[in-house]
Amino acid sequence: MMGTSCDRGRSGPGSRTIEAMLPRDHLLRRVDRLLEMGKLRAALSSHYSARGRPSVDPELLIRMALIGRIYAITSERRLCEELRYNLAYRWFCRLAPGAAVPHHSTFSKNRHGRFRDAGVFRLLFENTVRRCLAKGLVSGKDAAIDASFIAADASWQRKVLPANLPDASRASRPVREWLADRTRVPEPLTGTGKGFPSVSRTDPAAAWSARTVRGRFGYALNVMIDTPGGAALEVEATPARFAEEVAAGRDMLARAADRFGYRPKRVAADKAYGSAAFLAFVRDQGALPHIPVIDRSEQTRGKFPREAFTYDRGRDCFTCPAGKALAHRGFHQPTGVHRYRARPDDCRACSLRQQCTSARGRALCRMENEDARDLARAQMRTGLFKRSMRLRRGVERLFADAKVKHGMGRLHLRGIRGAEEEFLIGAAVLNLLLLARPDHAGSRSLAGK
């Protein structure tokens, strides 16, 4: 049976004393005014029995989790200990002065059961996004996407080949989850990184990354924000691999459009997102890609660059500076690359051969989504592109705040689901703190948003 202790936590003389002691402009007061747990309780109601002894109030656990992220308390044991004597924390959690603090193991039992099944933290985060939309903190014109490496709770020394992991009957929960995901979706999870076939014994879902001084296992915190306001609109956890981060960028754009009707006019990102496929996806979403193009056409070794050749869309061929045609010679489906090559006889007799090629015939490549690359190249020459690159720094500020101020430099939970939970709580807290600024105070609660 679902407990309701938070409903009675601010009554009685002791609670009134705490109410009087807490400053009127305290941060937790401003955050508390933004919270309404009605939707969360409704989502959790089906996961509790209608009979039996009342449980620990799930609202209490959610409020404790928010305190832990706001004040960078990553240990649940320490969080429970501080809740015993910190009056501001007790007030925020609506815990009466004489009430007992839940045992730290209660978090694990609820997190891996009811909270995860009900998607509580995804719901909490999306409620903060809707509040930002209602408050006018989202302009809807400019979005920025980026990813940052977050170290997993896994030692770099404890790595094994996937075949040497224990079977599911003897494995820990993160290993069992990884084995189940690997069986259900084999293709994206079997590869563990080029040249690094090992996985972590304790958290095999984490990817090995050399982005730090010493290689680490970790995850990518993928975030999409609206600029210049800085509200986080979408969050996704992926293993720290560039290919999966780019795929997460597509998922976040599509999910924001589906759930919030958010369709920005411009999308900014760094060069890691500058592939033809991603640029085409952004264009198809109705946005201009303000993203540097991944382009190797300037690596000419002193020969004619690609810009010296004219493409004829009707004939699907290039024309070289000497007026000869480079016909279409094939298409590579996995990479989406069309290949064009001149006739060897034309190149052999050409007076410009020394400036053009040292091969039998000059060859060129054109991406399947070359139109999107051309669009992005044209945008790179505009003033709005430079503005988008400046606004994109807001994502870096979000990462810095999450790691330095809110304790997300290293994950506390294991597995891809644990990483997603921590990222959602962190993004929800950052949105709440944005809303709780004095100039944003006085807004309506999250109920019904």
Side-chain angles (χ1 to χ4, degrees), residues 40-113:
L40 300 184
R41 283 185 175 278
L44 285 167
S45 60
S46 62
H47 298 274
Y48 286 87
S49 173
R51 303 167 58 186
R53 188 175 62 181
S55 68
V56 174
D57 191 348
E59 181 179 343
L60 170 60
L61 299 178
I62 294 170
R63 286 175 175 269
M64 290 176 67
L66 290 174
I67 284 178
R69 187 53 66 200
I70 290 172
Y71 293 103
I73 305 173
T74 56
S75 167
E76 289 163 357
R77 291 174 184 264
R78 181 185 156 207
L79 177 61
C80 292
E81 182 63 29
E82 293 207 11
L83 197 63
R84 297 181 194 278
Y85 55 79
N86 191 306
L87 297 182
Y89 293 175
R90 294 184 79 95
W91 178 90
F92 182 77
C93 293
R94 300 184 176 181
L95 200 61
V101 176
H103 192 266
H104 62 83
S105 63
T106 310
F107 281 98
S108 298
K109 293 178 181 178
N110 284 275
R111 178 188 301 118
H112 299 300

Side-chain angles (χ1 to χ4, degrees), residues 350-363:
C350 182
S351 60
L352 302 176
R353 176 183 175 84
Q354 297 300 320
Q355 300 171 257
C356 186
T357 182
S358 57
R360 293 181 60 202
R362 176 64 189 259

Side-chain angles (χ1 to χ4, degrees), residues 155-170:
S155 171
W156 66 274
Q157 296 171 311
R158 293 178 60 81
K159 47 186 180 286
V160 295
L161 293 174
N164 295 335
L165 285 171
D167 57 58
S169 62
R170 298 183 294 110

